[in-house]
Amino acid sequence: MQQEMIIVLDFGGQYNQLIARRVRECNVYCEVHPYDMSLDRIRELNPKGIIMTGGPNSVYEEGSALCDKKIFELGISILGICYGSQVMAHVLGGEVATAPVSEYGKTEVTTDTSSSLFQDVGGKTVCWMSHTDYIAKVPEGFSVTAHTPVCPVAAMEDRKRGLYATQFHPEVVHTAEGAKMLRNFVVDVCGCRGEWRMDSFVETSIRKLREKIGVGKVLCALSGGVDSSVAAVLLSKAVGKQLTCVFVDHGLLRKYEGDEVEAVFGPEGPYDLNFIRVNAQERFYEKLAGVSEPEEKRKIIGEEFIRVFEEEAKKIGAVDFLVQGTIYPDVIESGLGKSAVIKSHHNVGGLPDYVDFKEIIEPLRLLFKDEVRRAGLELGIPAYLVYRQPFPGPGLGIRIIGEVTAEKVRIVQDADFIYREEIVKAGCDKGLGQYFAALTNMRSVGVMGDFRTYDYAVALRAVNTSDFMTAECAQIPFEVLQKVMNRIINEVKGVNRVVYDLTSKPPGTVEFE
């Protein structure tokens, strides 16, 4: 049976991966592709539906991102969101213009509940608007199915052709009934059965990996984090002792983490893996000396990772494949399709131009973080490993603002250990998506005892998130933060100030760099 699929055509909107995540919550597989994907490729994928994302442009400007009109003649149901709705209107002969009144934020929308998109949705519902242009005239064959006092076409549809559009964003949590609207489109309009499950993903992945690798040798880049751990166990199920896991301790890990990783995946651990630990701390520090620009740090760390793996592969002899724990947000944030590069993940945009392996295998490349965790549980990985705190591949290199030195690593390791220890002691860790300490590049005057100090400020971060695409600052009890501050300043040499980061994602990212 062919897998059902919805494809998201990316016009450069900030919520592209969030749309895909919402579709997968309907148990329907979804992929993000650039807006100018060829019609032949779309036919080849044979999606049950297409969703067009928002974007930063105006459709009437020269050089704006537009789709081929013939896409609307493929007989595939299509939902346009925000800019995607304006593309649909513009290409099909409607009129898009600058709105007399822009709308941003939560807005009450009046809906036509007879529309397939708004089945079981309130006649008045709160939606998230973000637009300066609007659809002034709908194309022939379309009817208006939602409006606000200042937006005459908050939604439109041509039911006969299966074309739907919303000016608002149903994919964000601020749209109260957005998940219901998207489910209506995916299930009722597109006719998807919702049969995509993680157990079938794991089973299919193991079979495909076995077929692809054959008798080849595989080297897995094991960081000990959730993603690479799940990738390692998935590969071990597929090819057993053909797999060698190389754990590079680059000196940018959390306190005691190198030994913890070895205890789990090394010879004394529960997994039947070939395990090699490479202690390369000084090598990475030398490469990073004098470097403060975040993208440059990421790429240096990424390239050095690969070079270490190549060296280990030569020692093993004739390694054919390199396995990485790349996940979908890594791919999209590194500039998939037409989206802006948010940050080059060390295992995607940070890869060097030349890699001395036959092929790179990324078995989790199309999964979101929570899906990776579910795959880990399906593989039998203990829950305490599956739900451990995420840790970026570049490690503390991107939690140290500015140049990385051994002394700064020592400071952030100690501060982070105290923070995480107190969070767990207070029982605040339950439900937190991620929490850590970072070292700012700011030094300020302080007083300790009767003496003047001029030391660093540590920033504490904690966010609530399920998918790491959006995140909100967590409300850690003040008394816990105060205890953490006192311990860090008293116990960590070189720190005289502690701050708490309140920034959400967007506009920030979870990590500092």
Side-chain angles (χ1 to χ4, degrees):
M1 181 177 65
Q2 183 176 359
Q3 178 174 268
E4 294 179 329
M5 179 190 294
I6 299 290
I7 63 173
V8 173
L9 295 184
D10 177 21
F11 285 85
Q14 61 179 315
Y15 301 130
N16 50 16
Q17 54 180 303
L18 186 54
I19 297 170
R21 185 67 196 86
R22 296 292 177 252
V23 173
R24 292 194 190 180
E25 288 173 357
C26 300
N27 295 118
V28 175
Y29 184 67
C30 185
E31 291 182 359
V32 180
H33 293 279
Y35 73 87
D36 56 359
M37 184 182 193
S38 72
L39 296 179
D40 286 342
R41 179 59 177 150
I42 292 175
R43 291 189 189 96
E44 183 182 332
L45 289 176
N46 191 28
K48 299 280 283 187
I50 296 171
I51 300 178
M52 297 178 170
T53 76
N57 303 312
S58 294
V59 295
Y60 47 76
E61 291 177 348
E62 187 175 349
S64 291
L66 297 173
C67 64
D68 190 326
K69 184 177 180 179
K70 292 180 181 177
I71 195 172
F72 300 108
E73 300 168 6
L74 294 175
I76 300 171
S77 296
I78 299 176
L79 171 63
I81 294 176
C82 196
Y83 181 81
S85 72
Q86 295 167 10
V87 168
M88 185 181 291
H90 180 75
V91 170
L92 292 176
E95 182 182 334
V96 178
T98 303
V101 179
S102 299
E103 283 182 308
Y104 293 97
K106 293 181 179 179
T107 305
E108 187 176 76
V109 175
T110 301
T111 67
D112 177 355
T113 56
S114 68
S115 166
S116 298
L117 204 61
F118 301 126
Q119 291 294 316
D120 298 321
V121 172
K124 290 188 182 297
T125 186
V126 174
C127 301
W128 185 261
M129 287 284 193
S130 180
H131 68 101
T132 54
D133 290 340
Y134 79 127
I135 299 171
K137 178 184 175 184
V138 300
E140 185 177 348
F142 281 77
S143 59
V144 176
T145 55
H147 66 274
T148 74
V150 298
C151 182
V153 187
M156 66 177 188
E157 69 177 44
D158 181 340
R159 188 176 299 190
K160 187 178 293 186
R161 289 193 285 174
L163 305 180
Y164 297 79
T166 65
Q167 181 59 68
F168 55 84
H169 289 271
E171 71 275 20
V172 302
V173 294
H174 310 296
T175 296
E177 300 179 272
K180 194 180 295 182
M181 297 172 196
L182 285 172
R183 176 170 286 278
N184 286 341
F185 176 72
V186 170
V187 176
D188 296 334
V189 174
C190 299
C192 292
R193 295 180 297 273
E195 297 176 340
W196 189 66
R197 298 285 191 276
M198 195 49 61
D199 55 354
S200 60
F201 168 83
V202 168
E203 183 182 328
T204 301
S205 295
I206 290 173
R207 176 176 50 79
K208 288 184 175 178
L209 286 167
R210 211 170 271 145
E211 292 170 357
K212 173 189 275 290
I213 294 167
V215 297
K217 287 187 178 180
V218 186
L219 189 66
C220 179
L222 179 64
S223 70
V226 176
D227 304 332
S228 67
S229 296
V230 172
V233 176
L234 189 65
L235 263 294
S236 71
K237 298 274 189 184
V239 297
K241 287 292 187 178
Q242 293 167 237
L243 170 68
T244 298
C245 290
V246 175
F247 167 55
V248 177
D249 186 345
H250 50 23
L252 302 170
L253 298 171
R254 290 171 287 205
K255 194 170 184 177
Y256 306 130
E257 191 157 37
D259 294 338
E260 291 171 356
V261 171
E262 184 169 1
V264 172
F265 289 98
E268 305 304 317
Y271 301 109
D272 188 23
L273 300 171
N274 295 314
F275 179 84
I276 296 172
R277 177 173 177 174
V278 183
N279 293 310
Q281 295 91 333
E282 294 305 318
R283 176 171 174 171
F284 278 83
Y285 293 161
E286 287 174 12
K287 288 284 184 180
L288 291 167
V291 179
S292 59
E293 205 281 318
E295 280 291 284
E296 190 177 354
K297 285 197 287 187
R298 284 177 174 273
K299 293 190 176 188
I300 287 171
I301 294 168
E303 176 158 2
E304 204 59 21
F305 260 123
I306 293 294
R307 297 305 168 226
V308 173
F309 293 141
E310 287 176 340
E311 291 168 13
E312 293 304 316
K314 286 173 184 173
K315 294 176 187 176
I316 297 166
V319 172
D320 303 292
F321 301 95
L322 171 66
V323 174
Q324 295 190 141
T326 308
I327 65 174
Y328 212 21
D330 298 344
V331 175
I332 295 175
E333 289 188 344
S334 295
L336 172 72
K338 304 301 176 182
S339 298
V341 175
I342 299 171
K343 52 189 178 182
S344 291
H345 290 262
H346 76 285
N347 50 354
V348 186
L351 286 175
D353 294 332
Y354 174 72
V355 181
D356 190 16
F357 295 99
K358 177 181 175 182
E359 188 175 343
I360 293 177
I361 293 177
E362 297 168 319
L364 311 177
R365 187 180 178 87
L366 297 177
L367 296 187
F368 292 102
K369 177 69 76 174
D370 55 325
E371 294 173 326
V372 172
R373 295 189 196 280
R374 280 159 48 203
L377 294 175
E378 190 66 33
L379 285 163
I381 301 174
Y384 78 89
L385 287 178
V386 170
Y387 289 104
R388 72 179 302 186
Q389 278 287 293
F391 193 61
L396 300 180
I398 57 172
R399 291 183 182 174
I400 294 172
I401 311 303
E403 182 184 11
V404 175
T405 65
E407 175 65 7
K408 287 183 178 180
V409 170
R410 192 268 310 163
I411 290 173
V412 77
Q413 281 180 334
D414 289 347
D416 180 71
F417 184 81
I418 290 170
Y419 181 39
R420 289 188 291 116
E421 184 176 60
E422 291 299 332
I423 287 286
V424 172
K425 277 184 184 177
C428 298
D429 57 314
K430 306 298 188 294
L432 285 181
Q434 195 165 348
Y435 54 97
F436 59 88
L439 183 63
T440 74
N441 206 26
M442 180 184 81
R443 299 180 74 185
S444 60
V445 173
V447 178
M448 298 183 76
D450 293 322
F451 296 96
R452 175 188 185 273
T453 62
Y454 188 64
D455 288 326
Y456 286 105
V458 162
L460 306 179
R461 181 91 161 122
V463 298
N464 293 317
T465 180
S466 62
D467 49 30
F468 291 84
M469 295 173 294
T470 60
E472 296 292 337
C473 166
Q475 296 185 35
I476 305 298
F478 183 74
E479 59 271 20
V480 176
L481 293 176
Q482 197 166 36
K483 186 173 183 180
V484 172
M485 176 273 295
N486 281 326
R487 280 197 62 192
I488 289 175
I489 289 177
N490 287 326
E491 298 175 32
V492 182
K493 184 180 178 182
V495 178
N496 68 357
R497 194 174 296 265
V498 176
V499 299
Y500 187 63
D501 181 9
L502 299 175
T503 315
S504 61
K505 175 186 180 180
T509 57
V510 174
E511 296 292 341
F512 275 67
E513 292 189 338

